Amino acid sequence: MNRTQITAGRDAHHRPKGVAADELRRHNLGAVVESLHLHGPISRSELTATTGLNRSTIADLIGELTDLGLVEEGPAVAPSGPGRPSPIVNTRPQGAVVLSIELSVDSVAVATVGLGGHVYEQARVPRPRGESAAETVEIVAGLAGGLLDALPADAILTGVGVGVAGVTRRSDGFVQLAPNLGWRNVALGEMLASALRLSHPVLVANEADLGALAEYRRGVGVGVPHLIYISGEAGIGAGIIHDGKPMLGAAGYAGEAGHTLINPSGHLCRCGATGCWETEAGESALARLAGIPSSVTGLGLVDTILARANDGDQTTLDALSEIGRWLGLGIGNLINVFNPQLVVLGGFYHPLFTFLEKAVFEGARLGSLDAPGDVADIAAGGLGPDAPLIGAAELALSEVIADPAGHSRARSG
Amino acid sequence: MNRTQITAGRDAHHRPKGVAADELRRHNLGAVVESLHLHGPISRSELTATTGLNRSTIADLIGELTDLGLVEEGPAVAPSGPGRPSPIVNTRPQGAVVLSIELSVDSVAVATVGLGGHVYEQARVPRPRGESAAETVEIVAGLAGGLLDALPADAILTGVGVGVAGVTRRSDGFVQLAPNLGWRNVALGEMLASALRLSHPVLVANEADLGALAEYRRGVGVGVPHLIYISGEAGIGAGIIHDGKPMLGAAGYAGEAGHTLINPSGHLCRCGATGCWETEAGESALARLAGIPSSVTGLGLVDTILARANDGDQTTLDALSEIGRWLGLGIGNLINVFNPQLVVLGGFYHPLFTFLEKAVFEGARLGSLDAPGDVADIAAGGLGPDAPLIGAAELALSEVIADPAGHSRARSG
DNA sequence: CGGCATATGTTTGACCCCGCAACAAATTGC
DNA sequence: GCAATTTGTTGCGGGGTCAAACATATGCCG
């Protein structure tokens, strides 16, 4: 708690901003790009219907976007009835390509992704726990170089997005604390920018937040504007999409659910408290209950558990049921306070979902009120372990969507 | 949990909307009104600076708003240096007056509030626990009639806002469940509309959500875009302001924090679960720990506790310390997941704040991570018991701010 | 006290963006 | 092959904001 800082952070003199005409254009260009990026190709006439804009306006917008190289028109497709066919509009992936990077506890991954979500190439390599930031950055830069060289000649790189398993400051990509990576106060954005030798700004965000974004835009959460993504790795993190937008909180820490108190008579957490959610439902709880030494972590742990569970080992199944129950109880709490439509399980909960499912649902039912509970579903992620990687790409592509023309101008300048 | 409904609620075909020119004008009119409503009078030249709009545009906007009767210009005030003085612009309260109503567990209140937050008059009467919705509505309608008659002749009523201690559906003002009022499935919006004989739509919202809105706009949270309001009455509810906007969740249930699990080895809750936050930190916990019979509730309980605490009664002080600790632990959880700048205590925590303060801070410190904890402060509400009442007025006035011209057109039509 | 510098309200014209209407084009169905 | 239908295209008009020139009100200074 800080009893003085709040006064400084308070911007009592903030007053609402006005909006000029160019903002209008920017918004409408963005609306067209966003529509194509998220929901795929669509005819011009359908575009007029969904945006509510006039035929002539749509024609003008598409003309500008075509000049910018962001969209292209395919052959006209005949509708079911009579009438002049309307050409299909789609994104032009190479018109805006981003480099996305994921720095997880046990692996690092890199991908090149074009507008519309087209993944050109991706690569993932294991990462030893304890590797320093400088080492990790070097490995990532090497991978990234290969992927960038493999891009088509006409591809235009527009940004870099990074997901990292830690607490980050979005403004400059500074990682304040990544306990599971063993990092603290790392200027990750700067380090990556210089290692990659790219002039583009590097957008750094929390892994769980990006997982949420990815599942919302490309995974099981498409069309579900209120969802929570649970990222289970060494700890537990949550990413929240509220009303279609990432919910970050005052300083970007929103969703740090791993250390919420859920069982005061539970186990000691390495954060110093007792009975945090992740001591009852996290990786360490699973190892403890399954009788597996704590030296076995990450993928090794998951593989062991999966093998034993598939063999029908009762101790393992009981352990899964127990952490599933605690996972569900904590999810119930999140359902009460966030009222989501969907809770998506990622990280190591994803491969284990079939074994956790029943207990998770029971726990969530117990732990949530009827009203919000009736609205909420729980599901395994649709993107598997790549969710944060896809999310990092979406983060970087969001810049293009927010200002298609401005972004292209900046690039050519 | 609902495994099928989610598919129906999913609007996979939602595509972004375009924006036409009239939307621009509406936004800019609203920006001017909002600025004046929230931050008070300001000169025209300062308005050009804060909105970023051109001098001539501001002149035009103010001209239209003056014609609408929503703002008025005062005498020009000389700046510090040379130059032509700029006239001060302010809201014209009687140009848009709303009726606000609060239906709490132990009292009901009514107020008439004009644009800019000017409270013309307000009244509050006790409400016996168990009173039916029809009875409460009748009493409220009587109070409201008196206040409306007392308004100045040129006052123009533009809306009605209602805060109720229960789960409500905003679209039509339907109260699904208000356990502490003893109501279930009450068409409160319709009942009030017909009892008041007003043609205006009646906006119904949750009490805690309105408390949050009020403290953000007029209380201790002015200028703090990330805050949580804790409403302690018979139960515990939370209202969340995120990035300056109310956070409601998928169905308006967000902030139902009273029944989050915090102590599995705690007490049985009337919701059926064990160890909910409100069984450890709510009114019933206070009575139980202080050794006061559960028949003493609401204001009676608070008065008794306050009297004994002021006398230095150790049992009472220990009870306050204990529920303060649990309150703080729960607040710590909310700090972790929402990352607010400020947590505002309302309801019965407000009068008891000085006795709870120390334990609440300790609990919150223990229950939250360093990073989000460092950003967050905890404070007693600045509006006392009237917060939800003020919030209901702000809710209704928000309609005028969102579309100043449209609202006036509708009224004269 | 009067002129000058300064800041701001006012007026006019231009530009940008979108909608509308008329026309042209492309397809279906008879 | 012609009518009906739907949609792209073009030109015009209106709403909204901005920029510039002008008018006005004040402080400052000799």
Side-chain angles (χ1 to χ4, degrees), chain B residues 19-20 44-45 55-56 82-84 86-87:
Chain B
V19 164
R44 257 162 84 158
S45 70
R55 281 216 292 270
S56 33
R84 177 172 175 172
S86 190

Side-chain angles (χ1 to χ4, degrees), chain B residues 12 50 89 92 94 112 130 142 163 167 172 216 250 257 298 322 325 345 367 401 406 409:
Chain B
T50 58
V89 190
R92 192 169 158 273
Q94 67 270 40
T112 41
V167 174
D172 60 351
Y216 171 58
E322 180 68 5
R325 195 175 71 88
L345 296 185
I401 294 169
R409 266 196 304 279

Side-chain angles (χ1 to χ4, degrees), chain B residues 29 33 36 60-73 89-97 114-116 120 154-158 397 400 404-409 411-412:
Chain B
L29 285 171
V33 174
L36 300 175
D60 197 35
L61 291 169
I62 290 177
E64 181 169 351
L65 291 172
T66 305
D67 291 345
L68 291 168
L70 295 177
V71 313
E72 55 192 359
E73 284 186 308
V89 190
N90 201 0
T91 47
R92 192 169 158 273
Q94 67 270 40
V97 178
L115 193 63
Y120 283 98
D154 62 343
I156 294 170
L157 195 75
T158 63
L397 286 169
V400 179
H407 211 272
S408 291
R409 266 196 304 279
R411 151 170 65 74
S412 62

